Amino acid sequence: MSTMRSLFAALVAVVAATQPAAADVCYKGVNLSGAEYGDRDGVENLNFTYPSEKTVAYFAGKGMNIVRLPFSWERLQPTLNSPLSAVELDRLKAAVLRLRDHGMTVLLDPHSFGYYDKARLGTPEAPAFAFADLWIRLAAEFANEPDVLFGLMNEPYDIPATEWLDMANGAISGIRSVGARNLVLVPGTRWSGAHGWRADDPGGSNADVMRGVKDPIDNYAYEFHQYMDPDSSGTKGGCAAADAATAALIDVTAWLRETGKKGFLGEFGGSQDQACVVGLKAMTAVLDDNADAWLGFSYWAAGEWWPETEINNVQPTGKGDRKQLSGLPLKPGRKPDAAACATIPPA
């Protein structure tokens, strides 16, 4: 424990000593979960749900300006390499419009963990070109909308980094092929965890391999996830690894400066325990204190169907706000600087 505290203190000192004070990050928001539930034949509001007007208005009123919007790849594209479902696409577009009407930027998130049905990407059942095909079709629908970002995939975890890099580059190439210049967020493999970014597993580390991202217009950033429970899964109670989680963000901040790119913390969270609230403040402070290297964050998670007992839940209840919100540096009424936070580069 003393060794971890010493390492943590040293990392804080290094980053603080090398960086001038910066403005807050551009984007502060939440994952609104629900549309990723159910199978391709699910019934809306029975097997899955998109964010309601009430929920969107609540989080916008708290000062959040971005929503990571998980959805089901299988329901949006029921057959690989085929047209998107018109019905599901209309639902997705309606949700995006609802969010935009409240001043929210939307991060589109195929919440599939690097799988289609039960087939891993890169296998004969789910070939890599099918992933590019999804993004060609999806990008064409949202091309050059400045408040829509493209998150390539939620937490690919069973794919060697070298193989995942090729898939990510293929998807980016497909996005650009239809003229879409939107900002693309690129995760790493192994759940895109900040704590394991430099881990040298078979296929190489994310830190080494993901430097090879290729984008013809160079408009991409890296997406990281990080939790504070002992195994960094976000599924356990308490925040025993809060210091380690903060240290992991400091470490990838240094890596982002090495690469000259920016990062986005797509998932993080904790319970209502005071230790978790303190941990949330520490993690988000790393981002705000190093806004030259970070775009922002989206907390995991909220949504109408999340039970009150769910550990990370910040959906309001009859008792009022969840305690985790007090750990997030939200400023109601704050608008991000349009120039500094631009997501569509000049043509």
Side-chain angles (χ1 to χ4, degrees):
M1 183 64 71
S2 61
T3 301
M4 175 58 72
R5 289 195 180 114
S6 297
L7 175 60
F8 175 65
L11 287 168
V12 171
V14 167
V15 173
T18 58
Q19 284 307 125
D24 289 358
V25 292
C26 292
Y27 299 110
K28 300 184 177 187
V30 67
N31 288 257
L32 291 184
S33 174
E36 75 275 30
Y37 300 163
D39 59 26
R40 59 169 48 75
D41 298 318
V43 177
E44 187 177 15
N45 296 322
L46 179 63
N47 305 113
F48 68 96
T49 187
Y50 280 92
S52 70
E53 171 73 20
K54 181 178 180 180
T55 286
V56 173
Y58 169 80
F59 286 107
K62 292 298 178 183
M64 293 187 176
N65 60 12
I66 190 168
V67 164
R68 185 170 180 255
L69 184 61
F71 61 87
S72 165
W73 179 3
E74 291 85 355
R75 194 161 47 247
L76 182 63
Q77 190 179 38
T79 303
L80 289 177
N81 302 307
S82 298
L84 304 180
S85 162
V87 172
E88 190 65 14
L89 181 60
D90 283 347
R91 292 181 184 127
L92 181 61
K93 286 185 172 181
V96 169
L97 181 60
R98 192 175 309 127
L99 291 160
R100 294 169 70 181
D101 283 347
H102 284 272
M104 299 282 215
T105 292
V106 184
L107 172 55
L108 297 178
D109 166 40
H111 208 77
S112 300
F113 301 91
Y115 278 75
Y116 183 88
D117 287 331
K118 295 182 180 181
R120 181 180 74 81
L121 282 177
T123 63
E125 296 78 16
F129 62 77
F131 180 50
D133 176 83
L134 165 70
W135 273 110
I136 289 169
R137 297 175 190 275
L138 190 56
E141 300 292 340
F142 294 96
N144 302 319
E145 297 185 15
D147 44 9
V148 177
L149 316 183
F150 298 158
L152 289 184
M153 173 60 62
N154 178 67
E155 295 188 350
Y157 71 90
D158 199 22
I159 307 172
T162 48
E163 191 175 345
W164 169 243
L165 174 65
D166 289 341
M167 294 178 192
N169 282 338
I172 294 170
S173 178
I175 290 168
R176 302 311 182 206
S177 74
V178 296
R181 302 171 64 80
N182 307 54
L183 180 72
V184 175
L185 295 186
V186 184
T189 189
R190 294 184 293 278
W191 296 276
S192 206
H195 65 282
W197 196 252
R198 297 185 191 269
D200 192 14
D201 293 335
S205 70
N206 284 322
D208 290 336
V209 175
M210 298 310 293
R211 293 172 184 261
V213 171
K214 296 179 180 178
D215 180 359
I217 66 169
D218 196 32
N219 192 35
Y220 69 93
Y222 292 95
E223 181 176 333
F224 302 90
H225 293 183
Q226 186 61 51
Y227 290 94
M228 296 181 284
D229 52 350
D231 64 357
S232 301
S233 68
T235 62
K236 308 294 191 303
C239 292
D243 284 356
T246 301
L249 293 184
I250 293 171
D251 182 52
V252 294
T253 299
W255 182 86
L256 288 166
R257 292 214 176 88
E258 293 170 16
T259 62
K261 304 304 296 183
K262 288 198 172 188
F264 183 85
L265 185 58
E267 285 188 23
F268 68 114
S271 73
Q272 298 195 85
D273 294 351
Q274 183 58 28
C276 296
V277 174
V278 172
L280 293 173
K281 289 180 179 179
M283 292 177 72
T284 53
V286 172
L287 274 58
D288 272 343
D289 290 346
N290 298 281
D292 63 301
W294 289 94
L295 291 167
F297 63 76
S298 52
Y299 180 94
W300 180 271
E304 282 83 357
W305 287 5
W306 277 54
E308 187 174 344
T309 55
E310 181 67 32
I311 295 171
N312 301 318
N313 183 12
V314 290
Q315 185 76 13
T317 70
K319 301 174 184 177
D321 294 348
R322 301 280 286 193
K323 293 179 181 178
Q324 295 95 323
L325 285 182
S326 66
L328 304 179
L330 303 175
K331 298 178 181 179
R334 173 187 176 273
K335 300 293 183 183
D337 180 83
C341 303
T343 60
I344 306 289

